[in-house]
């Protein structure tokens, strides 16, 4: 309860507490929590530009000098370049396909009335709660059957199916809010159904589509379980399983692990810096009421 | 879950001949079939196949029908029950930690602290990091010799409390729960913040006029009005934790002494890691767990949502 009364410090209607103390207390809590969330990440960043030798002398020292070559070594000698491009290929491919396919389905479900509309929506959406094991074991067998096991194409297909429910769910919600008048007018101008989708829904829905794109990108970029089951070839590893494998082999090489982790985090952080509002909105879209 | 999202103009639009809300079947097929094909081929079929497989012993290409044997073995599999217990502890208790932290952080921002925009972005950052990254970071934080947790304890003179956080069966699960909460608190925070901002101003202002302190305002106004959001968050966190795999697998691998074994890690071990060469038994675990998760979500939805909705 103490914290709640501190929160009253800036509220004119609240009982006048010793304001300076209250405000100081709130600032302290907020500062401490900020260090708690950002601190570990900054620590990681500092270790990524130090050699393991330097780190083992003092794990918390400021990097001096900055060993930027750590990144070159990780990129070239430790195979992180391969992992990075594998991840890029799989994730970009899967995100592009799932967004297009999901947008088409979302549009049909949001716009047209037909028998079974809500049933199809419910079926597509309900798989969002499936625990991954229910498909994992069989997907492994299926991909082996079709010679897609241990291939980036197979992993891409699986990733498309993983993100489909969320994509349809988010886009259906947005598309349903596009005013019907626009569609009526387009029909009167002689637009066909496909044209309406391409020239009205996609442009108008672009903010929502962008949100979905970023969200799917980050979730797949970070995906671990399916990658670790479906990929065994070291040359086909994606970043998460590549880092994990590297750590398994070089448990003590903290500086190099940190550099590899930073390589995997940079795209996500960049996406976050440019699109933080969109991203936060996308992630909260489903949860409020 | 579905009826509430029904299209609002459904009722209004007249059923005229050129109803723009209707279209021909070929158009629907073009729009829907790709998504449905992906769903059927890569979600529904594998799910049914796993359930089907659970009645067999599958070694390589040989499948032997064993009826309910896998399920019988499962009932007396102690490791499985330990995994279930751990996963339940995690799923039911940890969401309370996530959601309450998120609510407190959101209230701090709502109370109007300086740099609120920066803080919101900063607190949300861990949500974006992959489990692999979070796991590696926290393995270092928990490191016995130089991890920051033990270092801090030593600095303040409590060096005796320094622990091997992930190596002690009594502490490992708690350590993982803290790590998981670290990752997800920011998500709960932004959702709570959005919900608080969508509350009607008059009600909060009326509370102010009544000279309602923050404690009372929180208990009698904000929390009751946020109830639907908080319950939603709880259910979301619950589902996430029923599936938890990555963090456990990388940080402890289910150890020490099964202390952090979850259902997901156990399925993975039995299917791909122990070289038991049988995919039937893990399929049975996955099937049981699938049923448990679906049932739990339905029950939670019923129990938590049926309570009278607050109208405002």
């Amino acid at each position: 309860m103490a914290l709640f009364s501190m929160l009253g410090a800036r509220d004119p209607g609240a009982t006048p507490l010793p304001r300076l103390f209250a405000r100081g207390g709130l600032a302290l809590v907020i500062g401490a929590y900020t260090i708690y969330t950002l601190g570990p990440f900054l620590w990681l960043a500092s270790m990524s530009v130090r050699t393991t030798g330097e780190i083992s002398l003092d794990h918390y020292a400021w990097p001096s000098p900055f060993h930027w070559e750590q990144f070159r070594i990780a990129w070239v000698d430790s195979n992180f370049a391969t992992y990075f491009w594998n991840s890029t290929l799989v994730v970009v491919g899967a995100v592009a396909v799932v967004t297009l396919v999901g947008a088409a389905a979302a549009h049909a479900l949001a716009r047209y009335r037909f028998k079974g509309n809500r049933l199809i929506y419910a079926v597509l959406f309900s798989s969002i709660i499936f625990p991954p094991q229910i498909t994992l074991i069989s997907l492994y067998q299926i991909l082996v059957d079709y010679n897609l096991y241990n291939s980036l194409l197979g992993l891409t297909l699986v990733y498309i199916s993983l993100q489909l429910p969320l994509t349809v769910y988010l886009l259906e919600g947005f598309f349903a809010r596009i005013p019907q008048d626009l569609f009526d007018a387009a029909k009167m101008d002689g637009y066909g159904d496909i044209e309406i989708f391409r020239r009205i829904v996609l442009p108008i829905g672009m903010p929502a589509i962008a949100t979905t794109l970023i969200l799917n990108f980050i979730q797949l970029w970070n995906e671990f379980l399916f990658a670790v089951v479906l990929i065994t070839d070291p040359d086909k590893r994606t970043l998460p399983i590549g880092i994990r494998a590297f750590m398994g082999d070089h448990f003590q090489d903290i500086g190099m692990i940190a550099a590899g982790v930073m390589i995997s985090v940079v795209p996500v952080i960049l996406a976050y810096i440019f699109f933080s509002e969109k991203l936060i909105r996308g992630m909260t879209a489903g949860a409020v009421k | 879950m579905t009826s509430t999202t029904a299209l609002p103009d459904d009722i209004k639009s007249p059923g005229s001949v050129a109803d723009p809300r209707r279209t021909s079947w070929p158009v629907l097929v073009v729009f829907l079939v790709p998504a449905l094909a992906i769903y059927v081929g890569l979600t529904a079929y594998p799910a049914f196949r796993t359930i089907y497989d659970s009645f067999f012993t599958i070694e390589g290409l040989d499948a032997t029908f064993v009826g309910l044997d896998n399920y019988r073995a499962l009932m007396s599999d102690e490791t499985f029950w330990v995994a279930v217990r751990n996963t339940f502890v995690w799923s039911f208790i940890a969401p309370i930690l996530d959601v309450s932290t998120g609510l407190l952080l959101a209230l701090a921002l709502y109370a109007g602290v300086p740099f609120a925009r920066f803080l919101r972005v900063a607190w949300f950052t861990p949500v974006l990091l992959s489990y692999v990254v979070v796991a590696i970071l926290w393995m270092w934080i928990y490191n016995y010799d130089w991890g920051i947790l033990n270092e801090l304890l030593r600095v303040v003179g409590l060096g005796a409390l320094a622990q091997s956080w992930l190596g002690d069966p009594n502490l490992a699960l708690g350590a993982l729960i803290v790590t998981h909460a670290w990752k997800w608190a920011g998500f709960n925070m932004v959702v709570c913040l959005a919900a608080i901002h969508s509350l009607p101003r008059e009600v909060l202002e009326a509370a102010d006029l009544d000279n309602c302190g923050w404690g009372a305002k929180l208990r009698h106004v904000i929390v009751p009005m946020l109830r639907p959001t908080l319950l939603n968050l709880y259910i979301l966190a619950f589902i996430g934790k029923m599936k938890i795999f990555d963090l456990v697998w990388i940080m402890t691998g289910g150890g020490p002494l099964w202390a952090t074994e979850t259902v997901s890690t156990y399925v993975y071990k039995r299917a791909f890691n122990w070289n038991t060469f049988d995919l039937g038994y893990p399929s049975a675990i996955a099937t049981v767990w699938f049923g448990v998760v679906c049932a739990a979500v339905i029950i939670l939805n019923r129990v938590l949502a049926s309570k009278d909705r607050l109208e405002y």
Side-chain angles (χ1 to χ4, degrees):
Chain A
M1 277 299 123
L3 179 67
F4 306 151
S5 40
M6 283 173 203
L7 295 175
R10 308 199 92 211
D11 185 13
T15 34
L17 287 162
R19 288 199 172 192
L20 270 179
F21 170 76
R23 211 177 273 195
L26 178 62
L28 203 69
V29 172
I30 285 175
Y33 194 82
T34 308
I35 293 172
Y36 178 63
T37 52
L38 286 188
F41 182 70
L42 296 176
W43 182 42
L44 174 82
S46 81
M47 289 202 288
S48 70
V49 287
R50 304 173 67 206
T51 64
T52 302
E54 289 171 351
I55 293 169
S56 53
L57 287 178
D58 180 356
H59 286 84
Y60 303 98
W62 185 254
S64 75
F66 282 75
H67 289 282
W68 296 108
E69 75 270 14
Q70 287 263 99
F71 286 99
R72 193 191 55 77
I73 298 169
W75 187 258
V76 180
D77 301 335
S78 304
N79 276 335
F80 279 97
T82 315
Y83 306 153
F84 186 92
W85 293 121
N86 287 342
S87 267
T88 308
L89 200 67
V90 170
V91 172
V92 169
V95 167
V97 174
V98 79
T99 307
L100 188 64
V101 169
H107 168 61
L109 293 170
R111 196 50 54 189
Y112 298 120
R113 289 195 296 172
F114 55 93
K115 244 198 166 114
N117 179 317
R118 290 296 96 184
L119 179 71
I120 293 178
Y121 177 76
V123 164
L124 285 178
F125 176 62
S126 65
S127 62
I128 216 163
I129 67 165
F130 285 12
Q133 289 76 21
I134 195 72
T135 56
L136 179 68
I137 302 170
S138 300
L139 277 173
Y140 162 77
Q141 294 169 286
I142 292 166
L143 292 194
V144 169
D145 290 348
Y146 289 91
N147 268 332
L148 288 167
Y149 175 66
N150 208 4
S151 90
L152 294 178
L153 178 63
L155 190 64
T156 308
L157 289 173
V158 170
Y159 278 2
I160 292 168
S161 76
L162 286 185
Q163 295 306 111
L164 187 66
L166 181 75
T167 308
V168 172
Y169 171 69
L170 286 176
L171 291 181
E172 202 265 359
F174 284 112
F175 289 171
R177 269 179 265 145
I178 301 175
Q180 179 65 28
D181 299 351
L182 275 174
F183 295 91
D184 299 350
K187 271 254 155 99
M188 254 172 250
D189 286 351
Y191 277 37
D193 289 287
I194 306 290
E195 266 182 311
I196 286 179
F197 177 64
R198 209 163 48 84
R199 300 187 39 190
I200 295 183
V201 176
L202 289 185
I204 292 179
M206 206 28 97
I209 292 172
T211 303
T212 320
L213 277 173
I214 304 162
L215 203 59
N216 282 334
F217 168 78
I218 289 184
Q219 292 193 349
L220 289 181
W221 188 262
N222 290 342
E223 207 284 331
F224 177 77
L225 175 59
F226 283 86
V228 82
V229 169
L230 300 175
I231 300 288
T232 52
D233 188 343
D235 290 338
K236 290 177 184 154
R237 283 177 187 146
T238 57
L239 271 169
I241 57 172
I243 293 170
R244 158 95 178 123
F246 182 83
M247 197 174 173
D249 297 340
H250 310 269
F251 198 74
Q252 301 294 336
D253 197 351
I254 293 168
M256 202 44 67
I257 296 171
V261 167
M262 284 306 287
I263 289 175
S264 84
V265 166
V266 162
V268 171
I269 295 295
L270 281 181
Y272 187 46
I273 289 171
F274 286 111
F275 306 106
S276 57
E277 290 303 317
K278 271 195 171 2
L279 221 147
I280 291 178
R281 225 179 303 135
M283 289 198 81
T284 51
V288 184
K289 276 198 97 175
Chain B
M1 201 180 297
T2 56
S3 58
T4 49
T5 47
L7 312 169
D9 353 24
D10 265 0
I11 317 123
K12 280 174 255 163
S13 65
S16 62
V17 189
D19 186 348
R21 281 208 169 264
R22 294 200 184 280
T23 189
S24 58
W25 278 106
V27 174
L28 286 179
V29 166
V30 168
F31 280 129
L32 285 171
V33 159
L36 286 174
I38 290 168
Y39 176 82
V40 169
L42 293 163
T43 303
Y45 168 59
F48 280 114
R49 182 159 167 180
T50 302
I51 296 170
Y52 178 79
D53 281 354
S54 70
F55 302 105
F56 292 82
T57 294
I58 296 170
E59 288 163 330
L61 293 172
D62 304 323
T64 328
F65 183 75
V66 293
L68 291 171
D69 277 6
N70 285 330
Y71 291 95
R72 260 180 236 122
L74 191 57
M75 289 303 120
S76 54
D77 183 343
E78 279 176 38
T79 313
F80 170 70
W81 289 108
V82 171
V84 169
R85 195 199 62 119
N86 289 337
T87 313
F88 270 136
V89 168
W90 201 331
S91 307
F92 281 102
I93 297 171
I96 301 171
L97 181 67
D98 293 14
V99 177
S100 54
T101 315
L103 180 61
L104 290 182
L105 294 175
L107 286 170
L109 292 187
Y110 182 72
V113 296
F115 310 115
R117 238 185 85 88
F118 164 77
L119 291 174
R120 192 174 68 123
V121 170
W123 293 347
F124 191 76
T125 312
V127 177
L128 303 168
L129 302 179
S130 71
Y131 278 117
V132 178
V133 173
V134 172
I136 292 175
L137 254 181
W138 279 80
M139 283 165 81
W140 290 343
I141 289 173
Y142 287 138
N143 184 289
Y144 183 81
D145 296 315
W146 47 266
I148 197 154
L149 190 55
N150 283 348
E151 290 282 306
L152 280 179
L153 285 173
R154 287 179 193 122
V155 165
V156 297
L158 294 170
L161 289 179
Q163 305 280 347
S164 161
W165 299 97
L166 296 172
D168 183 335
N170 295 317
L171 297 171
L173 186 62
L176 289 187
I177 289 177
V178 169
T179 305
H180 202 259
W182 179 80
K183 177 167 160 59
W184 285 109
F187 172 74
N188 291 287
M189 182 260 306
V190 292
V191 175
C192 285
L193 193 62
I196 294 175
H197 278 299
S198 68
L199 290 181
R201 290 211 75 82
E202 313 87 64
V203 181
L204 294 174
E205 277 161 13
D208 282 342
L209 285 179
D210 289 344
N211 229 348
C212 191
W214 266 95
K217 199 160 140 188
L218 186 70
R219 194 145 31 92
H220 298 301
V221 183
I222 296 181
V223 168
M225 290 180 85
L226 288 186
R227 220 185 115 88
T229 307
L230 296 178
L231 293 181
N232 253 336
L233 282 176
Y234 183 89
I235 294 176
L236 275 181
F238 174 85
I239 298 174
K241 286 163 214 320
M242 293 290 269
K243 301 175 182 176
I244 189 92
F245 171 82
D246 313 22
L247 195 68
V248 185
W249 185 246
I250 297 163
M251 286 182 80
T252 64
L257 291 173
W258 318 111
T260 57
E261 194 74 65
T262 64
V263 175
S264 298
T265 58
Y266 189 51
V267 170
Y268 178 81
K269 278 182 186 172
R270 292 299 297 238
F272 304 110
N273 203 246
W274 273 7
N275 297 331
T276 37
F277 300 114
D278 169 29
L279 292 178
Y281 187 68
S283 296
I285 309 178
T287 305
V288 168
W289 202 242
F290 172 68
V292 170
V293 171
C294 292
V297 170
I298 292 167
I299 292 169
L300 275 181
N301 253 325
R302 282 273 161 78
V303 171
L304 297 178
S306 67
K307 300 264 175 65
D308 47 332
R309 274 256 164 113
L310 209 79
E311 298 287 338
Y312 54 83

